[in-house]
């Protein structure tokens, strides 16, 4: 609970007007009564989390501090008690915040879910974790993962290798998530048997995907036509999750993002849920959260752009 070299305790001290001293199995907190009461509730919640999940990540502590400041620390238990899957290395995968928990619950309940949020909020990883868990529970017979292969600064034709080698870099984040969740041997076995398929979005045209857990990643880089094509691939007994970050669109100037448009097209359709994550849900290095916040402040000062215009 303390963290390496008591870093968690130091982070709590920096966030509240208290001084914390650890003596054996006791923690002594001194400061104004209101602050001490907050930290006491925070410590109890963190201790409960440690007992259930083991050592705390930096994000866990930061998120618990945010919950304490908003008077919602009692809800930390909701997040801790929502495991999705355990990896081959024994790591428990679970939502790391109420925003991510809402996202996971939406994937459990709905057949079509859109998750929009900044980098580092776990959009892709949680979707892949849910897909792997559902495959293990025999809810679906295969997993289909796809991304648009958008040229962002480099032309595909100038990259070395055949077409598969050219598009593999675009699919690497999905491969990384699968390696972590399944282990390399199981991943390769599933790939060889076509139980898991990872392919560029263009390969989806003309197909009907039945009994599948389907994930479209980086959807902000789809055109409106590509988004329509993809969504109409969904077959009987399938679930589809679409993820993207509308602040990082790499489409050519003047091209309207399919993810931006679909929010308007499907906003009143039942059985579809849109989840919006924010910088509070970032689970990477704490500097990533600060970078996202800085860009948000910068963008708010800029004049508004027309849809599809270069940002």
């Amino acid at each position: 609970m303390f963290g390496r070299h008591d870093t968690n305790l130091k982070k709590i001290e920096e966030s509240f007007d208290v001084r914390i001293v650890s003596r054996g199995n006791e923690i002594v907190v001194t400061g104004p009564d209101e602050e001490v009461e907050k930290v006491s509730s925070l410590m109890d919640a963190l201790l409960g989390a440690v007992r259930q999940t083991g050592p705390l990540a930096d994000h866990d502590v930061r998120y618990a501090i945010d919950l304490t400041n908003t008077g919602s620390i009692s809800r930390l238990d909701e997040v801790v008690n929502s495991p999705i899957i355990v990896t081959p290395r024994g790591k428990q995968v679970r939502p790391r915040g109420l925003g991510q928990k809402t996202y996971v619950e939406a994937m459990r309940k709905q057949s079509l879910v859109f998750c929009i949020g900044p980098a580092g909020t776990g959009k892709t990883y949680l979707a892949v974790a849910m897909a792997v868990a559902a495959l293990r529970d025999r809810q679906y017979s295969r997993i289909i993962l796809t991304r648009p292969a958008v040229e962002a600064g480099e032309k595909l034709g100038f990259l070395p290798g055949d077409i598969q080698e050219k598009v593999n870099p675009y699919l690497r984040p999905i491969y990384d998530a699968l390696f972590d969740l399944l282990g390399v041997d199981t991943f390769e076995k599933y790939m060889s048997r076509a139980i898991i398929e990872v392919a560029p979005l263009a390969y989806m045209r003309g197909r009907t995907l039945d009994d599948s857990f389907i994930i479209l990643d980086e959807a902000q880089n789809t055109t409106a036509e590509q988004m329509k094509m993809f969504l109409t691939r969904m077959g009987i007994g399938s679930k589809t999750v679409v993820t993207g970050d509308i602040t990082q669109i790499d489409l050519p100037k003047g091209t309207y993002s399919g993810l931006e448009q679909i929010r308007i097209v499907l906003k009143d359709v039942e059985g579809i849920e849109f989840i919006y994550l924010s910088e509070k849900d970032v689970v990477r290095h704490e500097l990533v959260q600060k970078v996202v916040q800085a860009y948000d402040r910068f963008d708010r000062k800029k004049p508004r752009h027309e849809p599809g215009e270069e940002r």
Side-chain angles (χ1 to χ4, degrees):
M1 188 178 83
F2 290 178
R4 184 178 298 177
H5 305 305
D6 293 350
T7 52
N8 292 343
L9 296 186
K10 293 172 185 175
K11 192 177 297 292
I12 294 170
E13 276 189 322
E14 292 168 359
S15 304
F16 299 93
D17 184 20
V18 297
R19 183 168 180 269
I20 303 174
V21 178
S22 60
R23 297 171 180 168
N25 292 330
E26 292 185 346
I27 302 173
V28 179
V29 183
T30 56
D33 290 347
E34 184 179 352
E35 293 288 278
V36 171
E37 187 175 342
K38 284 183 181 179
V39 172
S40 177
S41 298
L42 171 60
M43 292 287 191
D44 286 341
L46 290 177
L47 185 58
V50 168
R51 286 171 173 159
Q52 293 191 55
T53 67
L56 298 171
D58 177 70
H59 173 266
D60 295 324
V61 179
R62 285 190 282 117
Y63 190 74
I65 290 171
D66 288 341
L67 287 179
T68 302
N69 284 325
T70 58
S72 306
I73 188 59
S74 60
R75 301 194 67 186
L76 183 66
D77 190 55
E78 294 179 34
V79 177
V80 172
N81 285 320
S82 303
I84 300 171
I85 196 172
V86 177
T87 70
R89 293 183 296 171
K91 183 179 77 171
Q92 187 183 81
V93 178
R94 57 179 173 81
R96 291 185 176 274
L98 295 175
Q100 288 191 355
K101 183 176 184 294
T102 301
Y103 176 34
V104 169
E105 290 302 316
M107 287 190 281
R108 287 182 173 138
K109 295 175 183 176
Q110 306 290 6
S111 294
L112 177 55
V113 176
F114 292 85
C115 184
I116 299 170
T121 50
K123 303 182 297 294
T124 304
Y125 191 84
L126 287 175
V128 176
M130 288 291 291
V132 171
L135 183 68
R136 287 182 175 178
D137 292 342
R138 301 180 183 273
Q139 297 176 29
Y140 302 94
S141 62
R142 58 180 174 164
I143 299 173
I144 310 291
L145 306 109
T146 184
R147 291 179 122 197
V150 173
E151 301 169 0
E154 287 185 293
K155 298 293 184 183
L156 281 175
F158 292 110
L159 295 176
D162 59 24
I163 184 61
Q164 191 62 46
E165 291 172 321
K166 289 176 189 289
V167 299
N168 271 346
Y170 294 96
L171 304 172
R172 176 52 53 189
I174 292 177
Y175 285 126
D176 290 343
L178 288 168
F179 289 160
D180 188 40
L181 291 163
L182 289 170
V184 176
D185 292 341
T186 302
F187 168 72
E188 291 179 348
K189 180 180 72 175
Y190 284 173
M191 287 286 286
S192 66
R193 297 180 181 177
I195 295 173
I196 292 179
E197 181 180 346
V198 184
L201 180 59
Y203 288 19
M204 297 295 108
R205 189 173 298 276
R207 302 180 61 185
T208 300
L209 306 174
D210 293 332
D211 195 28
S212 305
F213 195 118
I214 312 158
I215 299 172
L216 170 59
D217 192 33
E218 297 290 332
Q220 76 275 5
N221 289 328
T222 62
T223 63
E225 294 77 14
Q226 286 175 324
M227 179 64 77
K228 180 180 179 181
M229 177 275 291
F230 171 76
L231 293 178
T232 53
R233 299 308 94 202
M234 187 176 178
I236 296 172
S238 291
K239 182 187 294 288
T240 299
V241 179
V242 179
T243 69
D245 177 3
I246 56 176
T247 69
Q248 296 193 40
I249 297 174
D250 298 317
L251 292 169
K253 184 177 180 179
T255 303
Y256 195 13
S257 167
L259 185 60
E260 286 191 308
Q261 184 192 67
I262 206 68
R263 293 190 298 165
I264 303 169
V265 174
L266 299 181
K267 66 178 181 179
D268 297 321
V269 178
E270 292 185 11
I272 298 172
E273 192 159 350
F274 284 85
I275 302 297
Y276 293 89
L277 302 179
S278 69
E279 72 276 357
K280 292 182 179 180
D281 300 295
V282 171
V283 292
R284 293 178 185 168
H285 194 287
E286 63 180 317
L287 282 179
V288 175
Q289 188 178 82
K290 294 178 181 179
V291 168
V292 172
Q293 291 171 336
Y295 269 104
D296 284 345
R297 290 193 297 270
F298 177 76
D299 287 339
R300 282 195 292 270
K301 295 177 182 177
K302 293 169 60 178
R304 292 184 62 85
H305 294 268
E306 293 300 318
E309 189 174 302
E310 194 170 44
R311 295 164 182 268

